[in-house]
Amino acid sequence: MKTRTTALIAATTAATLLASLAACSGGTKAGSGDGGSKTLTLASVDQGSIEDVVKAFEKANPGIKVRYTTSGADQYQQQIRTQLSSGTAPDVMSVWPGNGNPGATYVLAEPGYLRDLSDQPWAAKLPEAIKSVAQYQGKTYNAVFGQNGIGAVYNQQALDKAGLTPPDTWTKLLAFCRAAKAKGTPAFALGNQDNWVTQLVLYALVATTVYGPDRDFDQKMQAGQATFAQSPWTAALDKYLTMEKTGCFQKNPLGTNYETSQQLAATGKTLGIVQGNWVIALLQQKNPKGTFTLKALPATDDPSETIVPAAAGAGYGINAKAKNEELALKFVNFVMSPEGMNLFVKKQGGLPSLPDTGHEVDPSLTELSTFITADRTVPFMDQRWPNAKVQQTMLSGLQEIFSGQSTPEKLLEEMDADYRAGS
C-alpha cells in the first residue's frame, strides 16, 4: 500500500499516494536542464507537499535547482519500473515501504535499482517498526520521513450541520450511515474509480477484525498456517459491503475518482471520507475554513478492541544509477532533517518517523497519535506480503466486486494463490 500514503498503505499506501492521475511538473526550470552537477531530478507522489520541500531545499542550497514531476500513485507505480529498467529514471524517487506494490522498497531494491542508504546518519535512528520496511536484506534503501494512519476523516462543520457525532462502535457506525443518508448527506465519500482507494476501507476494518484477536496473523500467513479465505478477512470484507448496502457512501463509488471524493468531503457533500491522514491537507486546500479530524473506523461493538492501520508512509529512494548522486544524497538528507521532515508532515497532516524533531501533533491527528502511543496499530497489510501481485489482485478484485463481476470468496481465493506464489 499511497498515505502516506502507506499506505499501507500504502498502505499501502499510499502515501502518500495521491491526488492526480495526470502527471504535472513543477519546480525551478521544470522540464528543462540536463541533470548536471547543479540540477537534481525528482519524481514524487507527494503532490501538495513536495512543492514546499523543494523550495526550502533550494533556498538552503543556493544555486541548486530541482526538476520534479508529481503524479498519482497508480500512474507512478506503472511508470517507475519502466523508467528504472530503461535508464530514464530520475535521481530521487518516491518509494513505498515494504513489499506491497510495484514501487515498494523490496521490489525496487531486489534487482539493484536503489542505492544503499545505510551509511547515512539518520538510517540507524529509524524506529524498528519503520526500519523493518525501509530495509531489504538488512540494508536501508528508503528515507521514510513520516508515519501515516487510515481512518475516517470527518468534516466537523458538516457533522455539526447534520447534528451527528463520530461513531465508536460498529452498530453506531451503521446507525450513523443511515442517519446521514436520511438527511441527504452520505457519511463517507468513496473514490473507487482509482483502484488504490478501494483498499482503504477494507484495511481499516481488517485491522480490528483480523489483528485484534490475532496479532501474529502475518507470521501465520508466512508459515502457511493461515489464509485470507479461511480467516476474519471474510468478515472484514463482508462489513465493507454491508457499509455499501447501508448507504455509507455516495452513489456510484466506481464512477467517483479520488479528486472528486476529496471535493465531496471538503465541501460537506458528505460528512467525511475514509482515507489516510494525508488527505487532510488536500481537504484543507479545497476548504481552508474547514476543520477535519481523523478518527478510528470501528469494526466491533467494543471500542477497546479497535485497532488502526498505521505505518511508515512513502519515502524517498535514490536511483542506483543517479546522474547526480551527491545532490541526491543532499536532498534525501534534507528530507530526513528536522526541517525537511517537519515541513513534510505538517503539509501532509502526518507524524514524523524520527523522534525529537520538535514537531507538535496537529489536533486533527490527536486520536491517531494516541493509538500509536498505545500500540493499538498494525502496519498497512500489504507491507508484509511476499509480492506486489497480492495487492494488485485485491485492488482490481474489489472494483470487480463493486461492479458485480466478482465475489468476496473468489477475491480472497485469488489473493491466497498470489500469496502462495511467494516473491
Side-chain angles (χ1 to χ4, degrees):
M1 155 132 182
K2 158 20 215 230
T3 286
R4 280 120 359 174
T5 152
T6 246
L8 222 236
I9 184 253
T12 68
T13 288
T16 5
L17 300 153
L18 285 148
S20 172
L21 287 182
C24 59
S25 58
T28 306
K29 294 185 179 179
S32 63
D34 58 2
S37 61
K38 293 294 184 180
T39 302
L40 177 73
T41 55
L42 167 71
S44 174
V45 295
D46 293 311
Q47 189 171 345
S49 53
I50 188 61
E51 295 84 354
D52 285 3
V53 174
V54 166
K55 289 178 183 177
F57 175 72
E58 290 182 336
K59 183 177 181 180
N61 297 276
I64 292 177
K65 305 302 178 185
V66 180
R67 290 194 295 118
Y68 67 93
T69 60
T70 61
S71 57
D74 289 348
Q75 180 184 5
Y76 178 87
Q77 289 172 13
Q78 291 170 9
Q79 292 179 344
I80 196 62
R81 279 295 293 264
T82 300
Q83 293 175 343
L84 285 165
S85 62
S86 64
T88 60
D91 298 321
V92 179
M93 68 205 81
S94 288
V95 177
W96 279 266
N99 197 32
N101 65 61
T105 302
Y106 298 3
V107 178
L108 298 183
E110 193 275 335
Y113 289 139
L114 300 179
R115 183 197 191 276
D116 181 5
L117 301 174
S118 303
D119 58 348
Q120 301 308 299
W122 48 265
K125 299 177 183 178
L126 288 173
E128 196 58 39
I130 294 178
K131 187 182 295 183
S132 66
V133 291
Q135 293 184 336
Y136 174 72
Q137 294 186 344
K139 296 180 179 180
T140 300
Y141 292 93
N142 195 344
V144 176
F145 57 82
Q147 300 183 73
N148 294 311
I150 297 171
V153 178
Y154 293 99
N155 179 327
Q156 187 59 50
Q157 286 72 29
L159 285 175
D160 293 342
K161 183 177 180 180
L164 297 172
T165 56
D168 62 357
T169 70
W170 173 248
T171 298
K172 291 179 182 178
L173 173 63
L174 296 183
F176 176 84
C177 290
R178 286 190 286 266
K181 183 180 179 181
K183 294 175 182 292
T185 309
F188 305 112
L190 184 60
N192 277 359
Q193 186 178 105
D194 290 347
N195 74 351
W196 70 270
V197 174
T198 62
Q199 67 195 312
L200 301 179
V201 174
L202 182 57
Y203 279 13
L205 296 169
V206 163
T208 299
T209 58
V210 176
Y211 294 89
D214 189 0
R215 286 299 189 99
D216 295 327
F217 180 77
D218 286 324
Q219 288 80 0
K220 292 178 180 177
M221 284 287 290
Q222 293 162 9
Q225 299 169 354
T227 65
F228 294 116
Q230 300 296 322
S231 77
W233 269 81
T234 59
L237 191 46
D238 179 68
K239 287 177 182 290
Y240 190 179
L241 298 181
T242 296
M243 290 180 67
E244 161 69 1
K245 294 173 184 175
T246 304
C248 291
F249 312 118
Q250 87 288 350
K251 292 181 180 179
N252 193 19
L254 278 179
T256 305
N257 63 20
Y258 180 41
E259 177 72 21
T260 301
S261 71
Q262 293 172 43
Q263 191 69 26
L264 292 172
T267 59
K269 298 293 177 57
T270 65
L271 302 185
I273 184 172
V274 179
Q275 262 287 345
N277 54 271
W278 53 80
V279 81
I280 294 175
L282 300 175
L283 298 180
Q284 289 173 333
Q285 288 176 15
K286 289 176 167 49
N287 181 6
K289 295 182 179 180
T291 303
F292 304 96
T293 306
L294 187 146
K295 299 284 187 180
L297 188 72
T300 73
D301 282 338
D302 183 352
S304 68
E305 295 177 350
T306 300
I307 293 177
V308 172
Y316 286 92
I318 293 179
N319 185 346
K321 297 181 179 179
K323 293 182 174 60
N324 201 326
E325 181 182 24
E326 182 181 352
L327 267 190
L329 285 169
K330 188 182 289 287
F331 180 81
V332 164
N333 287 332
F334 178 79
V335 167
M336 296 303 287
S337 71
E339 180 183 359
M341 189 174 294
N342 290 344
L343 182 54
F344 251 134
V345 298
K346 181 179 179 180
K347 290 291 292 186
Q348 293 184 349
L351 299 170
S353 61
L354 294 178
D356 305 323
T357 66
H359 177 72
E360 294 185 9
V361 177
D362 188 276
S364 66
L365 298 181
T366 298
E367 183 160 310
L368 174 59
S369 179
T370 299
F371 270 75
I372 290 174
T373 301
D375 193 28
R376 293 175 60 188
T377 67
V378 293
F380 297 162
M381 290 73 209
D382 56 274
Q383 291 185 356
R384 292 179 171 176
W385 292 344
N387 59 63
K389 186 65 168 62
V390 183
Q391 186 191 44
Q392 297 306 307
T393 293
M394 178 185 66
L395 299 180
S396 59
L398 287 170
Q399 285 186 322
E400 290 171 356
I401 288 174
F402 268 77
S403 65
Q405 299 177 64
S406 186
T407 65
E409 295 77 14
K410 181 181 178 182
L411 171 58
L412 295 177
E413 288 173 358
E414 290 175 343
M415 289 171 62
D416 279 325
D418 288 330
Y419 191 100
R420 287 192 298 269
S423 59

